Amino acid sequence: MNQQIREDNPHAGRELGGRELGGTPVVGGKAYGPVVRPGRRMTVEATEVAPPPVSEAERDAELSRFVAAAGVVAARLRERASHASGAAAEVLIATAGLAEDRGWIGAVSKLIGTGTPAPAAAVAATEQFAAMFTKLGGLMAERVTDLNDVRDRVVAEVLGQPEPGVPVPDEPSVLFADDLAPADTAGLDPELITALATRLGGPTSHTAIIARQLGIPCVVAVAELDVVSAGTAVLVDGAAGTIVVEPDPDRARADVEQSRREVEAIAGWTGPGHTADGHEVAILANVADGVSARAATASPVEGVGLFRTELAFLDRPDEPSLDEQAALYREVIEAFGGKKMVIRTLDAGSDKPLKFVDHGTEANPALGVRGNRIAATHPEIRAGQLDAIARAAEETGSTPWVMAPMIASAPEAAEFAAQVRRRGLVAGVMIEIPSAAILAPAIVAEVDFVSIGTNDLTQYTMAADRMSAELAELTDPWQPSVLALIAMVAEAGSRTGTPVGVCGEAAADPLLACVLVGLGVTSLSSAPAAAAAVGAKLAEVDLDRCRAAATAAVATAAPGAARAAAREALRC
Ligand code: PEP
Ligand code: MG
């Protein structure tokens, strides 16, 4: 609780210019301005010196003072709610409810009944509840800030002090706080408070909810927030989760302007995908079943670049019948009604074992019998799936593209392509093993298209488990060795006019998307939510710039340098 009232400035005078603080990104966008902090809270001063007990004769009056103060605070919050809307109104009403919570008032009354003055009783009772909420964890723990806020408001009222809260700045400012209570944030004017940053709080805290509603950049859990004193100019980057202290003012203003243009462009981007000079790049969605496919149609995508069929069967104890499978594939094809549809055969094994495929015991499943390799041990499973896809294609009058995961060699690609073509479908393979990238010319010669799975390609190139948080730097698709392999595949594709897609998460990164296009990639498929940002970025740059960015990024020796080189070449 003491954190709540900590005054600004513990490190005043220390040289901080240019320093970058990191936190959890919550709402994207950039804002630049001086820091303001919520007003001083009186709670601790009111209670830290052991107060004289209330005499028995005065206890009823003390209790009445407390109950009246809680009522005033609740009424004020409700009044504010009546001028707000949406989430802001909801949180204000919920906070008003806390001020009149019978449990809390009961606990305070009990303490007043033993002679504790109202402010100290409010603090002690709140501590009991806060401990309980913290123990419950999750969303309940995040409500502790709300409870403390109600306590501070009621104590201020009891003491006749002004209501604590956010000051109204006279210029656009960035609000810093330990955490923000709903009553602080709900009334914020986004013209004056242009970004929020808190030392505590999580992505579901009220600060985050309100920031999302107001559409202002927000970073939470910034451990070092207290080193910055009020009045200091900062640049908040809500997407990166960073705060730069005293940045170069011209550069910061330019950054904010650029970010505003980007946000507008993303909101207005509706596809189809192309560079500024009209070079077409299909922007596609990764889906897992009918539900996700239908949801994806709400995004500005031109079709499906990766239908991960195994995800629909993860819980199945037995192999789905041909009818069941055909119905599923039809559902996904119909969601996109005749648009591009790339179906991947089961990528079973490793991180996605299927119960109906006997994977056996493998010491190293990521390098074991997974993906297309199960065709050797279970040929009937792959054949049944291809039959079901062919049936769905016939029933929908479409010709889906079908690709195999985990292909390492040209003979594997040729064998798969023959099976697919025999059924009248378009054949492709995924390139996610370095061997396949190195042998791209031979593999491309066997198929109608390829799609690079950058998640696995990075994992296998860097010999770094894609699930490992400790190895995140190694599993970065910006690793120049990964980019070099992608370049080899794209070149093989462009020599023969074979489409080369990327369907790993690399395709969701707008900057990397420009590099991929510069390398010669012809389509980008990822989580549908990323489509607009990727499409809008590509629409800003011409193909020559993308090519320059690709050349520059491949020539570096580390992911950070690759990003910087790409940014420089793209001038963004
Ligand atoms: C990949 O590896 O990049 C890919 C798209 O496949 P998955 O993520 O399903 O392994
Ligand atoms: Mg993969």
Side-chain angles (χ1 to χ4, degrees):
M1 172 187 71
N2 291 0
Q3 316 288 10
Q4 283 273 352
I5 62 142
R6 186 185 305 147
E7 272 277 269
D8 201 18
N9 226 350
H11 298 255
R14 206 184 268 186
E15 190 44 65
L16 292 168
R19 177 145 167 219
E20 188 175 287
L21 315 179
T24 304
V26 173
V27 182
K30 289 183 184 165
Y32 170 64
V35 169
V36 288
R37 289 189 178 257
R40 191 174 170 79
R41 291 172 184 256
M42 303 305 295
T43 315
V44 171
E45 281 85 343
T47 56
E48 66 189 358
V49 185
V54 182
S55 71
E56 221 166 322
E58 289 168 9
R59 287 180 196 169
D60 279 352
E62 185 75 354
L63 178 58
S64 304
R65 244 165 27 101
F66 169 75
V67 172
V72 167
V73 168
R76 211 182 273 147
L77 292 169
R78 282 210 185 88
E79 219 280 309
R80 243 177 251 170
S82 68
H83 303 297
S85 61
E90 278 166 30
V91 295
L92 284 167
I93 288 168
T95 313
L98 279 179
E100 291 180 328
D101 181 81
R102 283 170 59 179
W104 183 64
I105 293 196
V108 177
S109 315
K110 225 179 194 172
L111 288 163
I112 294 175
T114 63
T116 313
V123 169
T126 307
E127 259 163 22
Q128 289 165 16
F129 278 78
M132 197 167 74
F133 282 14
T134 306
K135 213 162 154 202
L136 289 170
L139 288 177
M140 289 310 283
E142 288 182 6
R143 298 290 92 89
V144 169
T145 297
D146 310 353
L147 203 60
N148 286 339
D149 177 64
V150 162
R151 171 207 62 200
D152 293 346
R153 284 169 202 277
V154 174
V155 167
E157 188 61 31
V158 167
L159 296 172
Q161 300 284 347
E163 193 182 17
V166 178
V168 179
D170 45 20
E171 62 177 315
S173 301
V174 172
L175 178 59
F176 274 20
D178 276 349
D179 204 350
L180 287 163
D184 285 334
T185 45
L188 291 183
D189 175 354
E191 298 286 319
L192 281 178
I193 299 294
T194 57
L196 302 178
T198 60
R199 193 174 63 82
L200 308 170
T204 58
S205 60
H206 273 142
T207 304
I209 295 167
I210 298 293
R212 268 186 214 108
Q213 196 194 2
L214 293 173
I216 57 176
C218 177
V219 183
V220 299
V222 186
E224 293 185 289
L225 201 70
D226 281 348
V227 302
V228 188
S229 43
T232 308
V234 293
L235 174 67
V236 177
D237 183 339
T242 57
I243 293 162
V244 181
V245 184
E246 287 174 347
D248 173 69
D250 292 339
R251 180 83 199 267
R253 284 190 197 100
D255 273 10
V256 171
E257 182 49 28
Q258 163 79 5
S259 129
R260 196 190 54 73
R261 280 199 301 267
E262 280 169 12
V263 169
E264 268 173 28
I266 291 168
W269 193 82
T270 52
H274 57 77
T275 58
D277 53 339
H279 173 74
E280 288 176 13
V281 182
I283 307 288
L284 306 165
N286 291 354
V287 303
D289 52 22
V291 173
S292 61
R294 282 188 290 279
T297 59
S299 303
V301 292
E302 295 156 57
V304 168
L306 169 63
F307 172 11
R308 289 181 164 105
T309 55
E310 69 283 353
L311 296 185
F313 303 129
L314 286 179
D315 293 333
R316 286 290 301 239
D318 50 353
E319 186 184 347
S321 70
L322 199 142
D323 284 350
E324 279 176 280
Q325 289 196 54
L328 169 71
Y329 307 144
R330 209 171 48 227
E331 201 183 334
V332 173
I333 293 170
E334 280 169 352
F336 274 87
K339 289 193 178 153
K340 173 101 173 251
M341 177 62 53
V342 183
I343 304 179
R344 175 172 78 182
T345 50
L346 296 173
D347 186 17
S350 188
D351 53 332
K352 293 173 287 192
L354 292 178
K355 294 193 179 96
F356 57 88
V357 178
D358 172 20
H359 293 292
T361 315
E362 295 181 305
N364 203 340
L367 303 181
V369 183
R370 64 166 290 200
N372 192 61
R373 295 170 182 180
I374 65 162
T377 50
H378 300 79
E380 73 295 346
I381 293 183
R382 194 188 66 180
Q385 182 174 30
L386 291 177
D387 288 343
I389 296 172
R391 160 121 41 110
E394 198 185 319
E395 288 171 357
T396 53
S398 65
T399 311
W401 293 17
V402 184
M403 64 182 182
M406 293 293 292
I407 292 292
S409 70
E412 282 174 347
E415 188 272 339
F416 179 76
Q419 296 299 321
V420 173
R421 287 177 181 144
R422 212 157 57 73
R423 293 167 170 87
L425 305 167
V426 179
V429 293
M430 288 188 73
I431 305 286
E432 37 188 4
I433 300 177
S435 163
I438 294 164
L439 295 173
I443 287 183
V444 158
E446 301 293 350
V447 294
D448 305 313
F449 72 97
V450 295
S451 185
I452 305 173
T454 45
N455 307 334
D456 276 316
L457 183 61
T458 308
Q459 155 166 268
Y460 294 128
T461 303
M462 304 305 295
D465 187 343
R466 62 192 265 187
M467 312 293 281
S468 164
E470 286 118 278
L471 302 179
E473 194 180 338
L474 290 177
T475 52
D476 185 338
W478 279 91
Q479 285 287 352
S481 52
V482 177
L483 299 179
L485 289 174
I486 296 171
M488 291 167 75
V489 181
E491 196 187 326
S494 66
R495 281 230 178 98
T496 51
T498 309
V500 176
V502 166
C503 62
E505 284 313 297
D509 173 343
L511 186 64
L512 187 46
C514 298
V515 168
L516 295 172
V517 168
L519 289 172
V521 164
T522 56
S523 68
L524 297 162
S525 190
S526 68
V534 168
K537 182 89 215 159
L538 275 178
E540 270 177 22
V541 292
D542 59 30
L543 184 57
D544 278 349
R545 285 254 183 100
C546 292
R547 287 186 175 137
T551 308
V554 173
T556 61
R563 283 188 176 87
R567 254 192 216 113
E568 165 107 30
L570 293 164
R571 297 188 202 130
C572 64

